[in-house]
Amino acid sequence: MLVPVEWLKDYIDLDVPVDEFCDRMIMSGSNLETCQYLCEEIEKVVVGKIEKLERHPDADKLVVCQVDAGGDQTVQIVTGAPNVFEGAYVPVALHNSRIPGPLHGQPKQEGGVKITKGKLRGIESFGMLCSAEELGFEDKVVPVAHKDGIWILEEEYTPGQDFAEALGLKQAVVDFEITPNRPDCLAMVGMAREASATFKKDFKYPDTDVRDENNDAKAKDYLDVEIRNSKDCKRYVARVVTDVKVKQSPWWLQKRLMYAGMRPINNIVDITNFVMLEYGQPIHAFDINQVKGRKIIVENAADGEVFITLDEQERKMKDNMLLIKDAERGIAIAGVMGGLNSEIEDSTTTIVVESANFSGENVRATSKALNLRTEASSRFEKGIDPNLCKDAADRVCRLIEMVGAGRVCKGGVDVYPAPEEPKTIDIRVDRINHVLGIDISRGEMIEMLDRLEIRVTGNGNILTVTPPTIRQDLLEEEDYIEEIARLYGYDRLPVTLPKGSSEASIPYDRALRDMAGEALCSMGLNEVQTYSFVSPKGVDNVRIDEDSWERDFVRIINPLGEENSVMRTILTPNMMEVLSRNYSRNIETVKAFEIGNTFTTSFLSNHKLPDEQYALCLGIYGKKEDFFSLKGIVEEMLQIMGIKDIKFTAESEYGVYHPGRCARISVLSNRDTVKEGEEFEELGIMGEVHPDVAEKYGMAGLKVYCCEIMFDAVIRHADTEKVYKPLPKYPSTFRDIALLVDENMEVGKIKDVIKENGKPILERVKLFDVYRGKQVEEGKKSVAFALVYRDKEKTLTDEEVAKVHNKVLDALKEKLDAVLREM
C-alpha cells in the first residue's frame, strides 16, 4: 500500500519528520517495506512558457522553441515532441541541470542525468523540454493526456518557478506491507486512522456532505436496483450524476493518484479510483444511457453466457459467477471489471455511481476462473465492510461537485437486505496485563482502544468492547491484547525468557533417518535432495510395468508444467537423473543417496489423504563399484540400525534392473502374528540397472547400481538399543572354504545352509570372494566364505571344530551340490 505522506496529512495533523513517522508506525505494528523521497534528483528544472515555434530548417521532425524561462531569460530549445504548441507551460531543464531520467531509449542512471547545451542538426539548444518519465515517474502512472510527448501543464504558472516546487513534486511515499487480516489498511483512511492512534492526533474523515442544491432531480426517479443473490451481494448503493463533463482532473487529484501508483485518465475515472484508494471500497461508474430499462439487477450469470469486459476481451461466464445486469443483458462482472457496453465516454452526460459489497469468496473464484485480476477484485477478495458503501458513494459525489464534473441527484438507491452489526465481546484487564507482562490501568486501556474507535463499556475487571465493523479482524480477546500491545509499544514491552521444563528432543523416526544418513556418509556416499514434483515419464524411463503401484500418482491440479505434474512414488528416477548429470560432467565415480518422501494413491479408501512414506535410494557407479559393493553398503547400514536376519532373494521380473543381477531385500518379521509364508517382510530391492534404462539416461555401456528401500519398514524393524556383551573368554577358530557351485546358485541359500548346520558353535559367516575363470568350468562359479567358530563355555579342540565343519560341508554337498574346491 503506497501512502503519500502529503495525502495522509489531509486527515491528520502530522508534524513529525518522515523518518520518525516510519519508525513509530513500525513500532505500532505497521509493516514497512520502503520509504522513497521522490523527485529529489531534480535540479535547475523550471516552469517555461513556449512563446514561439519554428520548424527546424534541416529536420522535418524537429521544432525550434523560444521558451520564456523567467525574468528576461528566453531560452532556445530544439525538440522532437509532437504535442508542443505556442502558449504551452512545460518543464524546462536548463543548461547544467539534472533530472532523474531515464532519457528516451536509454537505461536509468543512478544519480540522474545531467543536461547540458548542445546542437541538434546545426541549431543550438540550451536545455531540454521534459516528459513525465524523464522527471522520474514510471510509465504506468503518467497521465493519459501526457503519456506521449512533453508534459503539458493544465494550469498557468509563473515562468521561471522551480518546477518541483510549483507542482509540489518533492515528497515522501511510504510503502506499507498490509497483512491479509487488515484489509481496512488498504486505504488512506485506514492508514490515517492507524497514524492517529499511534501519534495521538485527531483524525478527520473525508468530506462526504453532498450539497444537492444544484439539482432537483432524485436518483430513484432514474434508477431501480434489485439484488437476487443477497448471499454474494450484501449491499448495493447507487447514486446518479447528471450534466457530466468528462475532462482532465485538476492537478491535486492527478498528483495523489500518481504518487499512489495509479494512472490518471479523466475526472470521473480518477475520482472513482481516488475514493477506492481513500476508503478501500471499489467504485464503478456506468453510462446511464447504456443501462437498458433504467434497472440494475444483481444475479448469477447464465452458464456459458459470453460477456465482453472493458479490456475488449470475451469472457465465458459460469452460473456461479455474479453479474451486474440491466433489464436485458450483463453490464459488469461483480467486483472484477465493468463491461464495454456501459463504459463512460467523452459524450457521456449522466452516470450511475455504483458502490457495492460483494462476497470475497465469489469474487476470488470468479477472478481465478476468468484469469482476470484487478485492483477491485484484489480488495474484495480480502473482505470489505459493507457499511462503507454509502460513505464511499457520497464521497464520489462530493468530489464530482468539488471539481465541477457534474450535478448530483438528490438521495440514492440503497439496497441492504441484512445490515452488518458490530460484534461485542468481553475482555479482561488482568488477563491483558498478565499476557503482556505489564501493569497498566483500565483507564489507559480504554484510552488506547478509544483511539482505534473501539467503544468500551463495563465495570471493574471486565471491558465490554465493540469495534467498528471495518475491523473484521477483532474477534477474540487475544486480538484486543495485540491492539493494546502495539499501541503501548512493542519496544516498551519487558523482555522475559519462556518458562517451563520441557526438553527439546528429536522424534524417533527423524533420529533413525539421521542415523542412516550419517552411516552412509561415513561409508563415502554423498547425500542429495531432489524435487517431489516430477514428470510421469520418469517411471517410463525406468521400465516400470503399466499396472504397477508405482504409477498410482498424486496429480497436481495446477502444475507449472508436465515435468512437474505429479508427485513421486519412488526415488529411483530422480537418482538416475543425478547419476546421469554427474556422468555427463565426466565424474568418474559417484556414490549418492537420498532419503525423501514418496506419495501414492494406491492405499486410498473412504476419501483419505494420499499415502506418504519415506524411502531411501542409493545409486553408485565407478571402476571399483559392483553389485557386491552396493550390497555391502546396504548390509552395513542395516546392521548399524540394529536390523538382523537380512535376506537377499534373486529377482528377475522387475524392469528397472538387469534380470540376472537383482535381489529383493527382506527381513525376518517381528510381528506378533505371522501368517504362513510371510515370515519375511520386504524392505526393498537392489541391483544392476538394466542396460536399456542406463542408455535412456545417457549412460550406455556403464554399469550403474541402485537400491531403493522403504524406510518406514526399516523404522519398524530398527533396534538401536545397545546391549552390553562381555568380551569372549575363549578364542575363536577360523575356516575358509571355496565352493564350486552352479552359476545361478544364490549366495543367500549357501549361507542359510552353513548357518543351519554350523550350530551351535558357528559365530559368523562372511562371503569374501566370487571367482569365474580358467580354473572354473563353464556354467560354474567359485564362492569363498570365511567361517568363525567359537564356544562361549570352553576352548574348542580341532576335533570339535572338524566335526561341525564336516557336517556343514556334507550338507552343502547334499542340498546344493556344492563341491569343496582347493584354496
Side-chain angles (χ1 to χ4, degrees):
M1 173 71 188
L2 295 176
V3 177
V5 175
E6 180 184 278
W7 188 355
L8 194 70
K9 290 179 179 179
D10 289 351
Y11 317 105
I12 174 176
D13 182 18
L14 197 63
D15 54 359
V16 298
V18 174
D19 290 345
E20 182 181 344
F21 166 75
C22 293
D23 291 341
R24 295 273 298 277
M25 291 297 285
I26 291 172
M27 285 297 104
S28 67
S30 297
N31 297 329
L32 186 144
E33 290 276 354
T34 59
C35 178
Q36 291 182 293
Y37 295 86
L38 301 182
C39 298
E40 291 291 323
E41 296 168 334
I42 296 179
E43 298 176 7
K44 290 189 69 176
V45 177
V46 301
V47 176
K49 182 180 180 181
I50 300 176
E51 300 287 355
K52 185 178 180 182
L53 278 180
E54 295 178 335
R55 288 192 174 278
H56 193 292
D58 297 321
D60 294 337
K61 295 184 178 181
L62 297 179
V63 293
V64 181
C65 307
Q66 303 299 326
V67 182
D68 180 0
D72 297 328
Q73 185 180 14
T74 300
V75 180
Q76 177 174 287
I77 295 177
V78 180
T79 181
N83 64 329
V84 293
F85 56 90
E86 290 183 359
Y89 288 87
V90 294
V92 180
L94 301 173
H95 174 59
N96 285 330
S97 62
R98 187 172 295 276
I99 60 175
L103 299 181
H104 180 69
Q106 297 182 17
K108 188 174 179 64
Q109 299 177 25
E110 187 175 351
V113 180
K114 186 175 182 179
I115 304 299
T116 58
K117 64 182 180 180
K119 289 186 177 182
L120 276 76
R121 303 291 289 270
I123 301 295
E124 283 190 309
S125 181
F126 294 90
M128 186 179 84
L129 307 184
C130 301
S131 67
E133 281 187 80
E134 289 164 339
L135 290 174
F137 291 94
E138 295 183 27
D139 175 69
K140 67 179 183 179
V141 304
V142 175
V144 169
H146 311 312
K147 192 173 185 303
D148 300 311
I150 298 303
W151 189 347
I152 306 294
L153 304 183
E154 295 299 315
E155 303 171 18
E156 293 186 1
Y157 293 87
T158 302
Q161 276 185 283
D162 182 274
F163 185 80
E165 290 182 5
L167 274 72
L169 297 182
K170 292 185 179 182
Q171 59 174 287
V173 177
V174 183
D175 187 3
F176 288 100
E177 178 191 1
I178 308 301
T179 53
N181 68 321
R182 293 297 307 272
D184 59 297
C185 288
L186 285 171
M188 290 299 302
V189 167
M191 292 310 302
R193 188 183 294 109
E194 288 293 299
S196 169
T198 300
F199 291 93
K200 300 182 181 181
K201 296 283 188 178
D202 291 337
F203 171 60
K204 181 176 68 175
Y205 275 96
D207 180 10
T208 58
D209 185 15
V210 182
R211 305 300 188 262
D212 288 337
E213 58 262 18
N214 294 326
N215 197 343
D216 293 330
K218 297 180 179 179
K220 64 181 181 180
D221 296 333
Y222 282 84
L223 194 70
D224 185 32
V225 175
E226 180 183 358
I227 298 177
R228 295 180 180 174
N229 182 351
S230 58
K231 175 178 175 292
D232 293 326
C233 179
K234 296 181 180 179
R235 188 179 189 182
Y236 195 102
V237 175
R239 298 208 61 170
V240 178
V241 180
T242 63
D243 300 327
V244 170
K245 301 178 183 65
V246 180
K247 58 183 180 180
Q248 286 191 55
S249 301
W251 170 240
W252 68 265
L253 180 57
Q254 292 190 47
K255 180 171 66 171
R256 277 161 171 66
L257 291 177
M258 290 169 68
Y259 279 85
M262 299 198 78
R263 184 196 303 279
I265 297 174
N266 60 52
N267 52 0
I268 301 301
V269 175
D270 291 352
I271 287 172
T272 60
N273 286 335
F274 180 91
V275 173
M276 179 181 70
L277 294 174
E278 188 174 45
Y279 275 90
Q281 168 67 47
I283 303 290
H284 189 66
F286 303 104
D287 184 338
I288 200 168
N289 292 322
Q290 300 299 327
V291 180
K292 306 297 183 185
R294 298 295 175 91
K295 184 177 180 66
I296 287 178
I297 302 169
V298 185
E299 66 176 356
N300 286 36
D303 199 29
E305 181 176 351
V306 175
F307 181 75
I308 302 176
T309 45
L310 282 169
D311 57 2
E312 301 182 6
Q313 299 294 313
E314 285 191 357
R315 313 283 179 178
K316 191 173 182 179
M317 308 294 289
K318 297 181 180 178
D319 58 7
N320 63 341
M321 298 177 178
L322 201 63
L323 203 60
I324 310 299
K325 300 181 179 181
D326 58 20
E328 300 177 7
R329 60 193 178 161
I331 55 176
I333 301 174
V336 181
M337 184 178 281
L340 190 64
N341 55 12
S342 60
E343 74 171 325
I344 294 176
E345 300 175 340
D346 291 344
S347 59
T348 298
T349 57
T350 304
I351 64 171
V352 178
V353 176
E354 169 198 278
S355 178
N357 185 274
F358 303 112
S359 160
E361 292 181 2
N362 183 272
V363 171
R364 184 185 304 110
T366 300
S367 176
K368 184 176 180 180
L370 297 177
N371 193 25
L372 180 62
R373 284 188 62 82
T374 61
E375 188 73 28
S377 69
S378 66
R379 290 170 183 270
F380 277 120
E381 287 175 12
K382 294 176 177 64
I384 297 176
D385 178 18
N387 290 324
L388 285 176
C389 292
K390 185 176 184 305
D391 287 342
D394 290 346
R395 177 62 169 166
V396 170
C397 294
R398 176 60 185 142
L399 289 172
I400 288 174
E401 285 184 337
M402 288 173 61
V403 303
R407 303 174 67 196
V408 181
C409 293
K410 291 183 180 296
V413 181
D414 186 357
V415 182
Y416 198 1
E420 188 88 2
E421 298 294 338
K423 298 175 178 60
T424 298
I425 69 167
D426 290 339
I427 61 176
R428 296 161 290 177
V429 173
D430 59 353
R431 172 65 176 168
I432 296 171
N433 281 324
H434 174 72
V435 171
L436 299 181
I438 56 179
D439 184 17
I440 59 176
S441 67
R442 170 191 172 92
E444 289 176 284
M445 293 183 187
I446 293 175
E447 187 270 333
M448 292 179 190
L449 295 173
D450 184 63
R451 278 150 50 194
L452 293 169
E453 301 182 347
I454 297 171
R455 193 168 66 252
V456 183
T457 58
N459 297 303
N461 188 50
I462 300 299
L463 299 175
T464 301
V465 290
T466 305
T469 52
I470 197 170
R471 288 299 304 273
Q472 300 177 18
D473 60 309
L474 297 180
L475 304 173
E476 301 175 352
E477 185 175 34
E478 287 74 11
D479 299 322
Y480 290 90
I481 294 175
E482 181 182 359
E483 296 301 295
I484 296 292
R486 67 190 189 87
L487 289 187
Y488 181 80
Y490 288 131
D491 53 330
R492 296 175 59 198
L493 293 177
V495 178
T496 57
L497 292 174
K499 297 178 181 179
S501 59
S502 60
E503 295 182 2
S505 62
I506 298 176
Y508 181 64
D509 59 337
R510 172 62 185 273
L512 290 178
R513 292 198 299 272
D514 291 346
M515 179 185 293
E518 291 171 3
L520 292 169
C521 287
S522 70
M523 287 183 272
L525 281 77
N526 294 300
E527 184 172 9
V528 299
Q529 281 190 322
T530 59
Y531 288 114
S532 297
F533 294 175
V534 298
S535 168
K537 294 180 180 178
V539 293
D540 294 332
N541 294 339
V542 295
R543 292 167 34 98
I544 295 295
D545 292 339
E546 290 294 333
D547 58 350
S548 175
W549 64 266
E550 287 99 327
R551 292 182 180 272
D552 293 331
F553 295 115
V554 177
R555 299 189 178 275
I556 309 302
I557 295 175
N558 54 342
L560 295 176
E562 193 273 343
E563 67 277 6
N564 304 110
S565 60
V566 300
M567 302 187 78
R568 63 189 181 189
T569 55
I570 55 175
L571 303 182
T572 301
N574 295 34
M575 180 59 71
M576 290 299 296
E577 290 180 4
V578 171
L579 298 178
S580 173
R581 192 175 302 115
N582 281 272
Y583 180 71
S584 68
R585 287 162 172 74
N586 300 317
I587 307 299
E588 294 182 356
T589 300
V590 172
K591 298 168 71 176
F593 75 93
E594 177 177 11
I595 302 176
N597 286 330
T598 59
F599 311 83
T600 63
T601 59
S602 59
F603 304 101
L604 287 178
S605 61
N606 300 325
H607 306 289
K608 290 182 180 179
L609 292 173
D611 190 64
E612 179 178 348
Q613 295 191 7
Y614 274 95
L616 164 64
C617 187
L618 311 175
I620 65 174
Y621 72 76
K623 291 181 180 179
K624 296 182 180 180
E625 307 301 335
D626 58 17
F627 178 91
F628 295 103
S629 58
L630 178 60
K631 179 172 177 285
I633 292 171
V634 173
E635 288 179 317
E636 179 69 16
M637 183 205 71
L638 295 177
Q639 183 180 354
I640 290 172
M641 302 192 70
I643 300 177
K644 302 175 182 178
D645 300 314
I646 304 301
K647 183 178 180 180
F648 293 86
T649 308
E651 171 63 56
S652 60
E653 301 297 326
Y654 195 62
V656 178
Y657 300 111
H658 192 295
R661 300 162 194 168
C662 175
R664 290 196 179 274
I665 310 165
S666 53
V667 61
L668 188 65
S669 179
N670 58 8
R671 292 175 295 177
D672 295 334
T673 304
V674 180
K675 296 180 181 179
E676 186 177 352
E678 293 185 359
E679 290 82 3
F680 282 84
E681 180 180 354
E682 185 174 328
L683 292 183
I685 190 168
M686 61 167 288
E688 179 184 323
V689 173
H690 196 286
D692 292 347
V693 175
E695 184 177 0
K696 198 82 173 179
Y697 285 92
M699 296 182 286
L702 180 69
K703 290 188 181 296
V704 181
Y705 304 91
C706 280
C707 171
E708 181 142 352
I709 294 174
M710 296 176 287
F711 203 82
D712 284 8
V714 171
I715 293 173
R716 288 195 297 273
H717 291 276
D719 182 8
T720 58
E721 184 177 350
K722 302 297 182 183
V723 178
Y724 171 72
K725 290 183 179 180
L727 293 173
K729 295 180 180 180
Y730 304 99
S732 61
T733 184
F734 301 86
R735 296 288 189 274
D736 290 344
I737 59 174
L739 302 172
L740 199 61
V741 296
D742 291 338
E743 176 64 42
N744 59 359
M745 176 60 66
E746 298 176 13
V747 170
K749 289 183 178 181
I750 301 174
K751 291 179 72 172
D752 289 343
V753 172
I754 295 173
K755 290 178 180 179
E756 181 65 30
N757 291 276
K759 296 175 181 178
I761 63 171
L762 181 65
E763 185 177 78
R764 186 169 67 252
V765 58
K766 182 178 180 181
L767 174 74
F768 67 86
D769 184 49
V770 177
Y771 175 73
R772 299 172 182 87
K774 295 180 180 180
Q775 291 82 8
V776 177
E777 62 182 278
E778 189 174 348
K780 299 285 186 176
K781 62 183 176 182
S782 172
V783 290
F785 294 90
L787 283 64
V788 180
Y789 295 101
R790 190 197 307 271
D791 192 318
K792 297 179 181 179
E793 305 297 331
K794 62 181 180 179
T795 300
L796 291 169
T797 65
D798 287 342
E799 290 78 11
E800 289 172 326
V801 174
K803 182 179 178 181
V804 176
H805 189 67
N806 289 334
K807 180 184 175 183
V808 170
L809 296 177
D810 292 342
L812 290 169
K813 171 64 177 173
E814 179 183 345
K815 294 181 179 181
L816 305 178
D817 195 24
V819 179
L820 187 64
R821 177 171 170 265
E822 294 294 333
M823 294 291 288

